[in-house]
């Protein structure tokens, strides 16, 4: 079976840095995605990691360790518009499985 | 413009009725997926298809059916056998890497 875990909620302050962790156990692994989802909207793509290491894209970075079944999403210079849910997803064989998402609250 | 569309955005049905949700893409993607999202929850996989005329059950397929007669289209039917059909339904497609999502259909069954 598959299991993807991430914290349910996190709170951070505007301008700060926050790290959202994701651990996974899957029978197959082809890559890991991070998506952002605002309430009532479809998820939008943030990052895709296939190999171990850090992928940086502007204020957002994502890290993957395949041997540990672990990833994190790092958000820098937080802005109020970053208040959203962040979804970790794993490509397993020919399907894509999502975690339950982490709701991030940004305080001014 | 290339993209993935779902219609309608909001759908209301009476209990006991079957309802079909539309999903169309013109991205030439082979893979298509249907997910369900309940309030405050993540996405749960209902059905997926990697190629025309073939599809597989996801984690919560009971009470749902799909077809994949054309590459561009992957409609989802919510049958009366689905006990709790009220949810936000998301369709996605991919070429083997990141899935692209449609805008979603919010289904309310009363």
């Amino acid at each position: 079976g598959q299991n993807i875990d991430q914290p349910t909620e996190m709170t951070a302050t505007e301008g700060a840095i926050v790290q959202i962790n994701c651990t996974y156990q899957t029978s197959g692994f082809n890559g890991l995605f991070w998506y952002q989802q605002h309430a009532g909207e479809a998820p939008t793509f943030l990052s895709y990691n296939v190999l171990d290491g850090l992928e940086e894209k502007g204020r957002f970075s994502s890290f993957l360790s395949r041997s540990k079944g672990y990833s994190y999403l790092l958000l820098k210079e937080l802005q109020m518009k970053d208040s959203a849910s962040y979804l970790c997803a794993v490509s397993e064989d020919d399907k894509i499985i999502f975690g339950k998402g982490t709701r991030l609250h940004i305080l001014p | 413009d290339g993209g993935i569309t779902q219609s309608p955005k909001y759908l209301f049905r009476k209990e006991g009725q079957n309802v079909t949700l539309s999903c169309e893409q013109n991205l030439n993607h082979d893979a298509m997926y249907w997910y369900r999202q309940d309030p405050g929850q993540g996405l749960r996989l209902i059905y997926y298809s990697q190629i025309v005329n073939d599809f597989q059950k996801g984690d919560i397929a009971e009470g749902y059916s799909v077809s994949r007669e054309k590459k561009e289209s992957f409609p989802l039917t919510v049958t009366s056998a689905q006990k709790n059909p009220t949810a936000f339904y998301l369709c996605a497609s991919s070429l083997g890497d990141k899935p692209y999502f449609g805008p979603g259909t919010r289904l309310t069954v009363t």
Side-chain angles (χ1 to χ4, degrees), chain A residues 67-98:
Chain A
S67 62
K68 295 182 179 177
Y70 168 70
S71 173
Y72 68 73
L73 179 70
L74 192 71
L75 291 74
K76 303 176 186 174
E77 300 169 16
L78 285 170
Q79 301 174 9
M80 297 304 293
K81 67 178 182 179
D82 297 329
S83 290
S85 289
Y86 291 86
L87 311 177
C88 174
V90 171
S91 176
E92 176 189 60
D93 298 325
D94 57 356
K95 59 186 178 182
I96 297 171
I97 304 299
F98 282 78

Side-chain angles (χ1 to χ4, degrees), chain A residues 33 35 37 42 94 96 98 100, chain B residues 35 37 42 48 50 98-99 102:
Chain A
F33 307 91
Y35 281 80
Q37 187 181 28
D94 57 356
I96 297 171
F98 282 78
K100 293 184 177 180
Chain B
Y35 294 91
Q37 188 173 37
Y48 61 104
Q50 292 292 328
K98 66 185 181 189

Side-chain angles (χ1 to χ4, degrees), chain A residues 4-65:
Chain A
I4 300 173
D5 287 317
Q6 48 183 132
T8 303
E9 287 191 86
M10 298 182 71
T11 301
T13 305
E14 191 176 14
I17 298 173
V18 71
Q19 177 175 312
I20 303 173
N21 295 325
C22 172
T23 57
Y24 63 89
Q25 290 177 305
T26 56
S27 55
F29 180 83
N30 298 322
L32 186 142
F33 307 91
W34 283 97
Y35 281 80
Q36 180 190 63
Q37 187 181 28
H38 286 99
E41 298 180 8
T44 54
F45 172 79
L46 291 177
S47 68
Y48 177 39
N49 293 68
V50 177
L51 302 175
D52 289 356
L54 188 68
E55 296 278 343
E56 295 185 83
K57 194 185 292 185
R59 294 190 299 116
F60 293 8
S61 304
S62 58
F63 172 83
L64 175 67
S65 168

